[in-house]
Amino acid sequence: MIQEFARALANFLEKQHDDEKRDREMAELYRQYVGDYGLLRNLSVAETMTYAHDTWPDDERIERLGILAELLYTEASYKQAPLCLMLYEKAYSLYDYVDRHSDTFSMSRRQKMKAISTLLADATRP
């Protein structure tokens, strides 16, 4: 599933979209890989973890949380503040959870976490 998602996300990033079409295609990626866009995007991290526990099988949970983090990170990259900051914060929390609970080390995940941390720190400076 992760390889298929990586290809779908790469295709999404390669396309030139108007805002409305980009949002529709992002919602479709959520639907295909993790669930309802409107719901998952707007849940708190704690609510997301409850949703993950209640909805996804144990053997898929970490992978799907990682996919959700990637979707949030990607969406944050083209949204404006304050929404992008909220999405980055949630993505960071999910990346951190996945990093602590996954059997797989990911340099890419760690780099994204560092980039988000720097971005959020810069956003809070006067």
Side-chain angles (χ1 to χ4, degrees):
M1 176 169 54
I2 196 77
Q3 292 166 336
E4 178 186 324
F5 170 73
R7 284 190 300 275
L9 187 59
N11 287 337
F12 173 83
L13 292 171
E14 288 174 5
K15 294 179 185 176
Q16 296 295 324
H17 302 95
D18 61 47
D19 289 347
E20 190 175 312
K21 185 173 183 178
R22 181 173 47 202
D23 288 344
R24 278 194 317 270
E25 290 191 15
M26 176 58 72
E28 181 59 20
L29 286 173
Y30 272 80
R31 187 195 64 73
Q32 287 178 339
Y33 295 99
V34 291
D36 182 72
Y37 172 74
L39 175 67
L40 285 167
R41 182 176 177 255
N42 295 308
L43 292 176
S44 70
V45 172
E47 292 167 332
T48 300
M49 299 310 289
T50 300
Y51 175 91
H53 183 269
D54 293 347
T55 307
W56 299 326
D58 291 347
D59 62 335
E60 294 179 7
R61 192 171 302 127
I62 295 298
E63 187 174 271
R64 288 185 188 265
L65 285 168
I67 289 171
L68 180 55
E70 288 290 329
L71 290 167
L72 292 164
Y73 179 83
T74 300
E75 187 175 9
S77 72
Y78 63 82
K79 293 294 185 180
Q80 300 296 316
L83 177 58
C84 73
L85 299 176
M86 181 207 61
L87 295 171
Y88 276 132
E89 287 174 354
K90 188 171 174 182
Y92 182 92
S93 295
L94 295 179
Y95 280 136
D96 184 55
Y97 181 88
V98 170
D99 198 56
R100 287 183 287 114
H101 293 89
S102 177
D103 294 335
T104 306
F105 175 81
S106 171
M107 185 60 80
S108 173
R109 181 173 53 236
R110 292 271 175 102
Q111 289 170 338
K112 288 175 183 173
M113 290 172 69
K114 182 172 175 50
I116 293 170
S117 182
T118 300
L119 189 144
L120 293 174
D122 290 347
T124 60
R125 287 194 192 127

